[in-house]
Amino acid sequence: MTIGILGGGQLARMLGLAGLPLGLRFNVFDPAANVCGGAIGTHIRAGYDNSEALQAFANSVDIVTYEFENVAIHAVECVEESRVVHPNKKALFATQDRLREKELFQKLGIPTVDFVAVDSLEDVRAAGESLGYPLVLKSRSGGYDGKGQVIVRSADDVDAAWADTAGRHVIAEGFVAFDREVSMVAARRPSGETVYYDIAENAHSDGILRVSLNKPGDPAAEQARGHVQKLLEALDYYGVIALELFDVGGTLLANEYAPRVHNTGHWTIDGAVCSQFENHLRAILDWPLGDTSSKGHCAMINFIGDIPSAESCLAIPDAHYHAYDKAQRPGRKVGHITVCAPDAATLAERINRVEALLVSA
Ligand code: AMP
């Protein structure tokens, strides 16, 4: 059985690492040279607008998935002519535009951040009046890791912030003074079974995820599962999904969802019985889903820009080192480490040891 993956980054790489022991093979489609996901199978190098190459790719595999939500709808349609694609186009379409995505949350009764569409300077002023300051202006499409975001702190900042958006289509959101950020990763297969991981509590800086902690028994888990279930059912969704939420006084507000395996689920490779990567493959193939239980307390820490040596990291007990084999560049995710521990105090001590290595790297 050969799985086709649109996109050849680290998520494709980790899907491959989970799938090779299951006897699966992988063909990865990506226009870039030397993609790190190429290590797990055959790299087909062509553009997402190259219909012939996409059709040949589809014919070379049994089923197709993707590892990034900005994949062109056209590319998915082209592949769909001959092969099943999971998650489906509906899931992709809704998340490719932040306005559509937030409208979907509203329609499904999933509480979300206050938002309005803005198309002009006057709209931004009106948004400031209706939502209050600070406001966050976000690109409706193509933004990730906080890219394409501008904070408008007061009415005096409106002109400069609007100029910063440089004619991109944006939405304005109320700035949420959240207590914490969490996410829920789940998997659903066509036979109907759905499994949910423990909540991950996530810390971002400059819009980029730094740390995720698994939270077995978190009081918000049931609420998060309910929101995810609504999305999965409305979208006829199969595969892994991740929903990112703000926790405000115990109420969860949906920020965005990713129709794919997700950085806040990387802890599951070492910290859950069956990882999000293996469960994504099982889900799209309609195989029995694996146990999502946490094995203990764990923390996933991203390596952003640089990566400490494997040797230094592996001196920490129950540490699991993941290098993506990508060139080091500021702001780029080049690897991660997961540290696990039997109790919260030991985990905190191990996290400190990782942080010390990051400072010295
Ligand atoms: P996003 O690109 O929507 O995932 O945003 C990246 C990060 O920016 C989030 O994880 C939050 O830390 C922060 N952020 C995004 N939207 C808001 C908001 N409306 N209020 C406060 N912080 C936000």
Side-chain angles (χ1 to χ4, degrees):
M1 180 90 72
T2 303
I3 312 287
I5 307 178
L6 293 166
Q10 65 264 22
L11 300 181
R13 183 181 173 95
M14 288 185 270
L15 281 168
L17 291 170
L20 291 170
L22 304 177
L24 301 173
R25 293 185 178 166
F26 293 87
N27 289 353
V28 167
F29 189 101
D30 196 299
N34 303 320
V35 288
C36 74
I40 51 108
T42 305
H43 174 197
I44 295 158
R45 191 176 171 205
Y48 292 113
D49 55 354
N50 184 335
S51 304
E52 259 175 47
L54 284 162
Q55 276 155 2
F57 161 73
N59 288 327
S60 74
V61 300
D62 295 287
I63 188 166
V64 174
T65 188
Y66 46 86
E67 59 127 40
F68 68 117
E69 61 273 31
N70 292 322
V71 62
I73 295 279
H74 158 80
V76 171
E77 283 171 343
C78 200
V79 167
E80 258 179 359
E81 283 173 24
S82 58
R83 291 294 179 271
V84 169
V85 180
H86 287 319
N88 65 25
K89 211 166 50 189
K90 198 154 59 162
L92 199 57
F93 182 73
T95 192
Q96 285 189 344
D97 181 331
R98 285 185 192 273
L99 181 62
R100 268 200 302 261
E101 186 177 28
K102 295 234 152 59
E103 285 171 348
L104 175 67
F105 291 147
Q106 265 186 342
K107 191 176 118 203
L108 298 178
I110 300 172
T112 187
V113 176
D114 292 332
F115 67 95
V116 284
V118 292
D119 293 313
S120 66
L121 183 63
E122 292 66 43
D123 288 349
V124 182
R125 287 195 200 291
E129 273 156 37
S130 63
L131 305 179
Y133 292 99
L135 277 182
V136 188
L137 297 185
K138 292 186 182 176
S139 292
R140 281 174 55 175
S141 58
Y144 67 96
D145 284 349
K147 291 185 176 67
Q149 283 193 23
V150 185
I151 296 193
V152 195
R153 300 204 178 275
S154 71
D156 295 340
D157 282 355
V158 168
D159 288 359
W162 179 248
D164 252 16
T165 64
R168 282 177 278 121
H169 286 291
V170 290
I171 64 166
E173 290 181 10
F175 188 86
V176 182
F178 49 76
D179 298 309
R180 59 178 188 150
E181 291 190 75
V182 298
S183 56
M184 171 61 68
V185 175
R188 181 168 183 248
R189 65 184 281 209
S191 306
E193 181 191 3
T194 302
V195 291
Y196 301 88
Y197 286 94
D198 281 324
I199 277 209
E201 194 176 292
N202 308 313
H204 295 79
S205 66
D206 301 327
I208 304 180
L209 179 70
R210 305 284 152 167
V211 179
S212 285
L213 301 172
N214 71 331
K215 290 282 160 185
D218 193 283
E222 201 181 320
Q223 213 183 128
R225 282 195 294 264
H227 298 337
V228 170
Q229 189 189 355
K230 282 183 181 165
L231 271 176
L232 291 170
E233 284 171 8
L235 295 169
D236 301 316
Y237 192 103
Y238 306 121
V240 160
I241 192 168
L243 177 63
E244 293 188 86
L245 306 129
F246 299 129
D247 183 341
V248 187
T251 297
L252 299 181
L253 302 181
N255 178 32
E256 61 182 357
Y257 76 88
R260 55 170 169 82
V261 285
H262 195 252
N263 197 172
T264 65
H266 288 4
W267 65 270
T268 63
I269 302 175
D270 308 296
V273 177
C274 182
S275 77
Q276 65 163 346
F277 296 98
E278 183 171 333
N279 260 334
H280 182 68
L281 298 167
R282 292 188 188 206
I284 64 173
L285 292 168
D286 203 14
W287 289 358
L289 298 179
D291 185 349
T292 49
S293 310
S294 292
K295 292 196 272 189
H297 297 264
C298 66
M300 187 284 323
I301 299 155
N302 270 335
F303 297 138
I304 297 163
D306 347 88
I307 184 162
S309 72
E311 200 184 345
S312 59
C313 290
L314 297 177
I316 303 169
D318 218 344
H320 306 268
Y321 183 80
H322 300 261
Y324 304 154
D325 196 18
K326 283 164 71 173
Q328 303 187 18
R329 249 196 339 247
R332 192 177 204 207
K333 292 173 183 169
V334 289
H336 74 266
I337 186 168
T338 302
V339 280
C340 305
D343 56 74
T346 312
L347 184 67
E349 185 240 313
R350 290 177 184 169
I351 293 172
N352 285 341
R353 288 182 65 179
V354 176
E355 301 283 358
L357 291 174
L358 295 182
V359 172
S360 62

